[in-house]
Amino acid sequence: MATAIEESHSDPMGYQAPDSFARFLADLKGVAREERQPLINPKLFASALSMDIQTLASHAHVHRTTISRAQGAEKLQRYLRDALRVLGAAADINGDFHDALFWFRNEPIGAFDYKTPEQLVSEGRADDLLRYVKALQAGVVG
């Protein structure tokens, strides 16, 4: 039986999000190790979030061909790193990675004009969002 990393390497778009954020990071690291590049694989990331390549490119503010031809592009990698920071914090709070994925993609936040976390990260507001998540964890907001 092939591991998630082996499957993702041969077909990153066929990858499904694992049950934990730690496993997701391990899969991303495994692919980076296989590819011998310390980069977040955008196709693996997109697949885990059930996101098409055009949507990922739009959120990262890069051309869609950047996803396959220039995976190391700073704008793309910055978006992926920021999204991972937010997803990690969300998974820490509720303990369920799949709930964190759903929250990230779909749940509007009133404090941010009902934008989703995905939209906020795309706008470069990951730090604001992380402060909000930490406040939720502390019981200050909500």
Side-chain angles (χ1 to χ4, degrees):
M1 182 172 177
T3 66
I5 295 171
E6 290 167 352
E7 291 169 7
S8 67
H9 185 65
S10 63
D11 180 20
M13 294 312 293
Y15 176 80
Q16 291 185 343
D19 290 333
S20 73
F21 181 72
R23 180 73 237 173
F24 183 46
L25 275 181
D27 290 347
L28 287 169
K29 286 178 188 176
V31 170
R33 193 175 308 112
E34 286 176 15
E35 294 175 350
R36 297 190 183 279
Q37 294 186 25
L39 301 173
I40 299 166
N41 184 295
K43 292 179 181 177
L44 188 73
F45 177 90
S47 186
L49 275 78
S50 300
M51 181 186 295
D52 62 54
I53 296 304
Q54 181 60 47
T55 300
L56 175 58
S58 176
H59 286 310
H61 305 284
V62 298
H63 191 274
R64 63 183 166 76
T65 59
T66 303
I67 305 298
S68 57
R69 294 184 183 161
Q71 292 184 11
E74 182 54 31
K75 284 174 97 175
L76 174 59
Q77 288 295 311
R78 184 179 327 115
Y79 173 80
L80 295 170
R81 286 190 302 267
D82 285 348
L84 285 176
R85 289 173 47 217
V86 170
L87 284 167
D92 283 349
I93 286 178
N94 70 20
D96 187 295
F97 184 50
H98 289 279
D99 285 349
L101 291 171
F102 184 88
W103 171 82
F104 182 80
R105 299 239 33 220
N106 299 295
E107 291 191 31
I109 301 172
F112 292 102
D113 295 326
Y114 295 94
K115 292 179 181 179
T116 65
E118 183 178 64
Q119 290 170 311
L120 293 166
V121 172
S122 178
E123 292 174 1
R125 298 189 63 193
D127 289 335
D128 295 336
L129 188 53
L130 285 169
R131 280 190 289 278
Y132 174 81
V133 169
K134 287 179 185 178
L136 281 177
Q137 189 174 26
V140 176
V141 181

